[in-house]
């Protein structure tokens, strides 16, 4: 009897092609469209696309309303992280709690052996592995999922390139529109800017002081939530001739501290809520401290759920709230949240 797979279907080209590939591979496939947020008009469009894809593939589509869980586990922490003067990473929280949390629980309820998504990532049964298409690799955002789930996961696109996926969809009569539709935004509930998302919940536009490294007031800014570590625009520094960068955010006083580029250099990083696919407590590897950055060599020491990361070379603009993710070549070893 064919193994049963539940695949997350968003109405996009990646999950649609993934569904077809799983069917080609002989699995019994069912899809699920997850309602995660309440952005007006969003689900009407995307659920219809997901249903069209499911009908084309000949699979049953379940509709799962997870708006309450998403609000509790992803959206509210997103707001709170900004209030704390940190830079959130909601996709990693969503992957752990929703896509590889609530969706897995639903897969169990319908007797599915495997769970699949259209993520560009691979695994070897224990470790997550970077995708073949390094321009689309999403391993960074999956560092926080439960390691025990890995053997049950299927990622049909992990060995493929995005350009091939679009070409494949374009070549199939009835799916041409999926190949040409615009890409979804990095964060599904952000349509324009983070600030537009925050404004209904918190007062983001509150003018405050800009301080130099000695604590002197040297200018003004438009509200601390507008800034992340390393930002160099959107504030004033009186008499400045050289670029200034945000090096510290002080939410309790609505102040930001700025300094020269070298003040952003960081040689040591502390991580909390560490999640590991590897059992070692001390090792050397490479670490990525933001999604679109180059991994740097480091030495890691883990104690309980915290890690100390000594970097071989300084990194600029390390921001609290982002993730530090460990790699050994293409293998994702684990990671944690930057303190």
């Amino acid at each position: 009897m064919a193994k049963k797979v539940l695949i997350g279907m968003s109405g996009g080209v990646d999950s649609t092609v993934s569904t077809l590939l799983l069917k080609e591979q002989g699995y019994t496939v069912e899809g699920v469209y997850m309602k995660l947020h309440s952005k007006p008009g969003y689900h009407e469009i995307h659920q219809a696309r997901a249903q069209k894809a499911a009908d084309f593939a000949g699979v049953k589509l379940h509709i799962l309303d997870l708006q309450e869980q998403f609000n509790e586990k992803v959206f509210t922490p997103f707001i709170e992280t900004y209030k704390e003067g940190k830079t959130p990473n909601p996709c990693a929280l969503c992957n752990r709690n929703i896509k590889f949390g609530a969706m897995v629980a639903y897969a169990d309820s319908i007797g599915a052996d495997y769970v699949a998504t259209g993520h560009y990532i691979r695994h070897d049964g224990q470790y997550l592995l970077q995708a073949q298409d390094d321009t689309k690799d999403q391993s960074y955002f999956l560092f926080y999922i439960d390691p025990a789930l890995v053997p049950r996961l299927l990622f049909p696109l992990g060995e493929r390139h995005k350009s091939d996926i679009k070409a494949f969809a374009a070549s199939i009569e009835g799916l041409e529109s999926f190949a040409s539709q615009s890409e979804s935004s990095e964060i599904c509930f952000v349509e324009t800017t983070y600030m537009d998302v925050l404004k209904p919940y918190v007062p983001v536009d509150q003018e405050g002081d800009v301080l130099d490294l000695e604590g002197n007031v040297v200018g003004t800014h438009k509200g601390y939530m507008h800034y992340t570590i390393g930002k160099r625009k959107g504030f004033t520094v009186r008499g400045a001739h050289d670029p200034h960068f945000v090096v510290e955010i002080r939410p309790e006083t609505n102040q930001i501290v700025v300094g020269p580029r070298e003040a952003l250099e960081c040689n040591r990083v502390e991580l909390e809520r560490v999640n590991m696919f590897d059992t070692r407590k001390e090792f050397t590897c490479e670490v990525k401290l933001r999604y679109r950055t180059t991994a740097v060599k480091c030495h890691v020491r883990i104690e309980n759920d915290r890690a100390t990361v000594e970097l071989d070379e300084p990194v600029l603009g390390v921001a609290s709230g982002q993730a530090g993710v460990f790699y050994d070549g293409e293998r994702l070893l684990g990671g944690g949240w930057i303190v």
Side-chain angles (χ1 to χ4, degrees):
M1 185 175 173
K3 293 284 190 178
K4 186 173 180 178
V5 182
L6 179 70
I7 181 167
M9 299 186 73
S10 64
V13 66
D14 292 331
S15 60
T16 300
V17 172
S18 295
T19 303
L20 295 174
L21 292 172
L22 289 168
K23 289 204 70 178
E24 278 185 11
Q25 292 163 19
Y27 292 103
T28 298
V29 182
E30 294 186 17
V32 60
Y33 177 83
M34 292 173 281
K35 291 185 175 180
L36 303 184
H37 52 77
S38 54
K39 191 160 73 175
Y42 182 92
H43 295 299
E44 290 83 348
I45 295 170
H46 290 81
Q47 185 177 329
R49 288 175 178 169
Q51 189 63 62
K52 179 181 177 181
D55 291 344
F56 183 90
V59 303
K60 180 179 180 179
L61 183 68
H62 304 269
I63 308 299
L64 197 55
D65 190 337
L66 298 173
Q67 292 177 86
E68 188 175 327
Q69 295 98 310
F70 184 84
N71 185 64
E72 177 190 351
K73 300 288 189 180
V74 182
F75 187 74
T76 297
F78 172 83
I79 301 292
E80 292 301 315
T81 302
Y82 263 112
K83 287 170 67 176
E84 293 167 5
K86 300 177 179 179
T87 304
N89 189 327
C91 296
L93 284 180
C94 182
N95 283 329
R96 181 180 180 99
N97 295 303
I98 306 297
K99 293 176 183 173
F100 299 94
M103 187 173 108
V104 173
Y106 188 72
D108 292 340
S109 75
I110 65 168
D113 303 285
Y114 296 104
V115 173
T117 68
H119 284 95
Y120 285 82
I121 191 172
R122 300 173 294 145
H123 73 77
D124 62 6
Q126 176 183 351
Y127 296 99
L128 297 175
L129 307 173
Q130 290 177 313
Q132 288 285 5
D133 186 345
D134 58 6
T135 67
K136 298 299 293 183
D137 173 61
Q138 292 169 287
S139 60
Y140 178 87
F141 294 112
L142 272 74
F143 86 94
Y144 202 45
I145 70 170
D146 182 355
L149 291 176
V150 173
R152 289 185 66 190
L153 303 180
L154 298 174
F155 300 114
L157 306 188
E159 303 283 352
R160 293 171 166 83
H161 284 69
K162 179 75 176 198
S163 56
D164 296 331
I165 298 307
K166 284 197 166 189
F168 178 76
S171 70
I172 299 174
E173 187 175 351
L175 289 186
E176 302 93 341
S177 63
F178 287 85
S180 59
Q181 69 191 26
S182 60
E183 291 285 300
S184 59
S185 61
E186 184 179 315
I187 298 177
C188 62
F189 56 83
V190 177
E191 191 165 358
T192 51
T193 67
Y194 294 165
M195 291 303 110
D196 287 341
V197 175
L198 292 170
K199 282 176 181 176
Y201 304 94
V202 288
V204 300
D205 295 318
Q206 297 187 91
E207 188 173 287
D209 292 331
V210 175
L211 308 181
D212 64 15
L213 297 176
E214 286 73 45
N216 303 306
V217 177
V218 294
T220 59
H221 64 78
K222 54 190 176 183
Y224 75 88
M225 288 185 217
H226 286 272
Y227 306 95
T228 187
I229 302 300
K231 189 167 183 177
R232 58 166 293 187
K233 294 181 179 179
F235 53 86
T236 64
V237 178
R238 292 190 294 273
H241 299 290
D242 299 317
H244 282 68
F245 301 83
V246 177
V247 299
E248 185 186 345
I249 297 169
R250 298 180 179 176
E252 64 282 352
T253 55
N254 188 31
Q255 294 172 317
I256 63 172
V257 181
V258 301
R261 183 180 176 86
E262 55 266 26
L264 289 171
E265 291 186 355
C266 181
N267 293 286
R268 174 176 172 158
V269 180
E270 298 287 335
L271 306 178
E272 62 182 359
R273 291 175 288 152
V274 169
N275 184 61
M276 296 297 295
F277 301 85
D278 193 278
T279 58
R280 292 172 293 169
K281 298 298 182 184
E282 187 166 354
F283 51 92
T284 57
C285 65
E286 293 186 317
V287 64
K288 288 185 80 168
L289 296 167
R290 217 174 255 203
Y291 176 46
R292 290 294 186 192
T293 56
T294 302
V296 297
K297 291 182 178 179
C298 66
H299 183 83
V300 180
R301 289 191 305 277
I302 298 173
E303 189 169 343
N304 299 319
D305 70 340
R306 295 181 70 92
T308 300
V309 185
E310 303 283 353
L311 304 172
D312 283 13
E313 58 187 89
V315 172
L316 301 176
V318 176
S320 269
Q322 285 289 295
V325 180
F326 308 131
Y327 291 90
D328 178 8
E330 65 182 10
R331 290 195 304 178
L332 190 157
L333 304 178
W337 298 93
I338 299 171
V339 176

